[in-house]
Every structure is written in C-alpha cells, then in structure tokens.
C-alpha cells in the first residue's frame, strides 16, 4: 500500500434522509476510481457498503461503512452512514471522525426530515459540509424548486456549484459553475464535455452570479473585485470556497445521479480541492470516568496514536475502525490503550 500523508487525506461522511442515495453514491465513487470492477446496486444487494445480511435483506443501511477511494492524488475515506432515524448512533460516531460531511438530498423529494436532522448534526458539531442533490435521472425533478427549498430551510449560505441543464423538461447535462464547463447526462455520458445550450444561458448566468456573490462575501479582496465587475480565476474561487467551507460560511451544492455516474467525478474533484484534511481538526476531546476532559492533539509526526471509533464483532472475528491522530502507523506496531493500559 502506498504511503499516504495527512494533507492528502479527506475523511468525509455521507448523511441525509433514508433512500436518498448515499450508498449508491459511495458505490459510484468506488467504481469510477476503479476500487471495484462492477457497479453494485441496492436492488441486487451487491453494494460494497451494505454487506451485512440484514442490510441486503432490508435494502437499506444499518451501520456506518467505510469505502476508501483515491482520486487525483488524494485519498478520500468515505463513511456511508445510515439514514433511518433509529441508527443515529452510527451517524454520530461517523461524524466524530469525519473532517467534513456531504448531505445527500433527493432531487425529487427535496428537503425531508432526515435532511434537516443531518443539517442540525453538522451545525451543532461545526462540521464543514456541502450538499449533493442526487437522483436527477428520475422523472418529475425540478432543480430550481429543490434549491429554493434548501435556501428557505437552511439560509443563504447554501450556494450552487454544479447545476443541471434542462431542455424541454429533460436534463441534458450538468454545468460546473466555477469554470462554466458542461458535461453530458445519462448512462455513458458523464465524462463527455458538451456546449451549454443557448436556451440555458440566462439560467446558468443566474446561478453563476449567485455563486460569485457567495464567494465574494467571504473575502474583502474578492468583494472589491466583484463590485468592480472583475471576474475571479478558478484558483481564487477554489481557495475561497475551501476556506469558507471550513469556516461554515457557505454550504456548496452539487448535483448528479449516482446510478448513472453523472456528477460524481465533479463531486470527487470538489472534495479533493475544497474539503479539509485531518490536520484542520486540531484535537479530539477525551473524557475520563470522572468527567475530566483532556485533548488528544493531531500531529503529523511524533509517537503514533489512534482514536478508535468503532469495533465490530461477528462470526469472522473482531474488526476495529480507527483514525490515526499522530505519527506514522506501520504494520505490526503495538498500541497501548490509554484507558486500560492494555497493549
């Protein structure tokens, strides 16, 4: 396995209402990065994240599962969390170690109870976050209505980054507003660049202006350029979004369809560029039996230390999930439990 340094890691948690496509999105990311050689789906019960017998039987996630992918030199550790309200403990433990959260929303259903709970979770924890509006391959979807509902519910920090192109009530592509690049939509079309249809020009300009206004509001220099009618370079925009996502000043919105892979590569590019590395989260707060709090700080160097956030025991044995907090962890390294003293 190649050595991965902290600044190139992105730990993200997929959260949101049940059945909005979180597991399918993780599956699409695995497939596009060639971590798997076939695209599994919920109906067939062959996804990577829903591997438990009960999950396969019921057709929804019960526990948080990890799906690591590599994209453009970055390692993205995707934690697929359950959407059903009865499994919020799994969501909490996933958010505890995630550097950022992606709230998945159904294009057809829009803002639901689980969406609002997801928003409250990231707001309470001050977790950097963005939205992915999924399932644009379904009928009777309306981006403008869904986006307006999100802004009404969550405020003006919600801003567009990738939006769908619609011609005659049919989605024909997706456009990245950062550089106004459009991509095809539909099976086999996700990697093809296309021209923005003439009838979509005003529509794209409206949301492009909305994005530019959101970016300008985060930086005085960019605000001055904005009022002077100057445009931003992509590098300036990406840098501003990266800082604003970390501070919570904006909540970017991207769109697509996990089942036909559309918008997923643009999403991974956004995650690699704009979501924070584990170094942004400076420490974990540890609470002992007496209620005393201590900090376990994050360091790239020093003695290796890990934070165990989940342990699963089944007929195959015990599996422990952990986050490296400091140093370099190597195979065969013995670790001591600081609570019990056991090695």
């Amino acid at each position: 396995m190649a050595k991965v340094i902290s600044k190139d890691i992105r730990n993200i948690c997929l959260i949101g209402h049940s059945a909005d496509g979180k597991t399918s999105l993780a599956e699409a990311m695995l497939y596009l990065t060639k971590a798997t050689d076939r695209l599994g789906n919920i109906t067939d019960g062959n996804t990577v994240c829903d591997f438990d017998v009960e999950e396969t039987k019921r057709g929804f996630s019960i526990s948080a599962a990890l799906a690591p992918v590599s994209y453009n030199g970055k390692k993205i550790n995707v934690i697929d969390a359950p959407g059903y309200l009865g499994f919020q403990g799994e969501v909490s433990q996933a958010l505890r170690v995630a550097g950022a959260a992606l709230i998945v929303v159904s294009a057809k259903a829009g803002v639901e109870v689980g969406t609002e709970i997801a928003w409250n979770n990231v707001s309470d924890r001050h977790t950097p976050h963005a939205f992915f509006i999924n399932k644009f391959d379904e009928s009777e979807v309306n981006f403008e209505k869904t986006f307006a509902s999100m802004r009404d519910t969550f405020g003006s920090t919600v801003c567009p980054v990738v939006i769908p192109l619609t011609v005659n009530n049919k989605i024909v592509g997706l456009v990245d507003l950062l550089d106004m690049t459009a991509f095809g939509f539909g099976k086999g079309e996700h990697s093809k660049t296309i021209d923005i249809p003439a009838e979509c020009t005003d529509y794209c300009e409206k949301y492009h202006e909305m994005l530019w206004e959101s970016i300008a509001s985060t930086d005085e220099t960019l605000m001055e350029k904005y009022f002077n009618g100057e445009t931003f370079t992509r590098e300036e925009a990406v840098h501003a979004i990266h800082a604003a996502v970390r501070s919570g000043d904006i909540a970017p919105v991207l769109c697509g369809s996990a089942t036909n892979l559309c918008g997923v590569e643009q999403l991974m590019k956004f995650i690699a560029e704009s979501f924070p590395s584990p170094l942004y989260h400076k420490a974990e707060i540890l609470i002992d039996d007496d209620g005393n709090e201590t900090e376990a700080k994050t360091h790239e160097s020093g003695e290796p230390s890990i934070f165990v956030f989940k342990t699963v025991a089944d007929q195959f044995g015990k599996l422990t999930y952990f986050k490296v907090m400091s140093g370099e962890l190597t195979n065969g390294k013995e670790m001591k439990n600081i609570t019990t003293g056991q090695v």
Side-chain angles (χ1 to χ4, degrees):
M1 181 183 292
K3 186 176 179 178
V4 182
I5 58 177
S6 300
K7 72 179 183 66
D8 292 331
I9 296 174
R10 303 289 183 268
N11 296 321
I12 71 164
C13 183
L14 305 182
I15 56 177
H17 198 80
S18 182
D20 282 357
K22 297 179 291 298
T23 299
S24 295
L25 182 57
E27 191 71 21
M29 294 168 74
L30 287 165
Y31 180 72
L32 282 175
T33 56
K34 302 189 185 310
T36 57
D37 57 7
R38 58 105 178 97
L39 182 65
N41 63 72
I42 302 296
T43 304
D44 293 341
N46 59 358
T47 62
V48 171
C49 292
D50 285 355
F51 56 85
D52 185 85
V53 175
E54 280 299 311
E55 291 176 316
T56 303
K57 177 183 175 182
R58 297 173 184 270
F60 59 79
S61 300
I62 293 175
S63 62
L66 188 63
V69 301
S70 296
Y71 181 81
N72 279 3
K74 300 292 190 291
K75 183 182 182 186
I76 304 173
N77 293 315
V78 181
I79 307 174
D80 176 27
Y84 273 94
L85 303 185
F87 305 106
Q88 285 300 299
E90 295 286 326
V91 177
S92 295
Q93 67 181 10
L95 285 173
R96 179 76 186 271
V97 293
L102 186 69
I103 303 175
V104 181
V105 181
S106 167
K108 192 169 185 176
V111 175
E112 301 174 89
V113 173
T115 316
E116 296 188 49
I117 291 174
W119 174 268
N120 291 336
N121 278 332
V122 297
S123 298
D124 292 345
R125 292 174 168 81
H126 304 289
T127 304
H129 52 276
F131 290 94
F132 183 78
I133 306 179
N134 192 23
K135 298 191 174 184
F136 272 100
D137 55 310
E138 295 191 357
S139 60
E140 299 179 11
V141 296
N142 187 316
F143 169 75
E144 295 190 88
K145 180 180 177 181
T146 300
F147 183 81
S149 174
M150 291 167 65
R151 274 211 152 189
D152 288 343
T153 306
F154 306 123
S156 60
T157 58
V158 176
C159 72
V161 174
V162 175
I163 64 173
L165 297 171
T166 305
V167 176
N168 296 326
N169 296 321
K170 180 183 178 182
I171 296 177
V172 297
L174 301 170
V175 61
D176 184 341
L177 297 174
L178 288 172
D179 51 20
M180 298 299 277
T181 303
F183 301 87
F185 190 87
K187 290 188 177 180
E189 302 293 320
H190 64 276
S191 60
K192 297 178 181 178
T193 56
I194 62 171
D195 293 329
I196 296 175
E199 54 265 58
C200 295
T201 302
D202 291 343
Y203 159 83
C204 288
E205 284 299 330
K206 180 181 82 168
Y207 286 102
H208 183 259
E209 185 69 15
M210 196 180 295
L211 171 61
W212 250 224
E213 185 178 342
S214 295
I215 291 173
S217 69
T218 67
D219 184 274
E220 288 186 7
T221 302
L222 295 181
M223 180 66 80
E224 185 176 347
K225 289 186 70 173
Y226 177 73
F227 281 126
N228 288 335
E230 300 176 49
T231 188
F232 309 144
T233 65
R234 182 182 174 90
E235 290 70 25
E236 286 176 326
V238 168
H239 178 77
I241 290 173
H242 176 67
V245 166
R246 291 191 305 175
S247 64
D249 289 337
I250 63 173
V253 175
L254 296 90
C255 298
S257 167
T259 55
N260 63 23
L261 307 178
C262 293
V264 179
E265 190 157 355
Q266 288 74 38
L267 172 64
M268 290 191 290
K269 184 177 182 180
F270 175 84
I271 291 169
E273 289 180 335
S274 301
F275 274 0
S277 76
L279 297 175
Y280 174 71
H281 188 63
K282 303 300 182 184
E284 285 289 347
I285 304 299
L286 308 179
I287 305 175
D288 63 21
D289 292 339
D290 297 322
N292 300 314
E293 295 185 359
T294 56
E295 282 191 347
K297 294 187 177 181
T298 302
H299 297 289
E300 283 189 281
S301 57
E303 186 67 20
S305 64
I306 63 174
F307 175 70
V308 176
F309 65 95
K310 181 174 182 175
T311 300
V312 177
D314 58 22
Q315 67 269 32
F316 302 108
K318 184 181 290 186
L319 181 63
T320 298
Y321 295 84
F322 60 85
K323 175 183 177 181
V324 178
M325 296 296 297
S326 64
E328 180 180 345
L329 190 64
T330 56
N331 188 31
K333 175 71 176 179
E334 288 189 344
M335 308 294 290
K336 184 173 74 172
N337 187 319
I338 62 173
T339 303
T340 64
Q342 292 181 328
V343 176

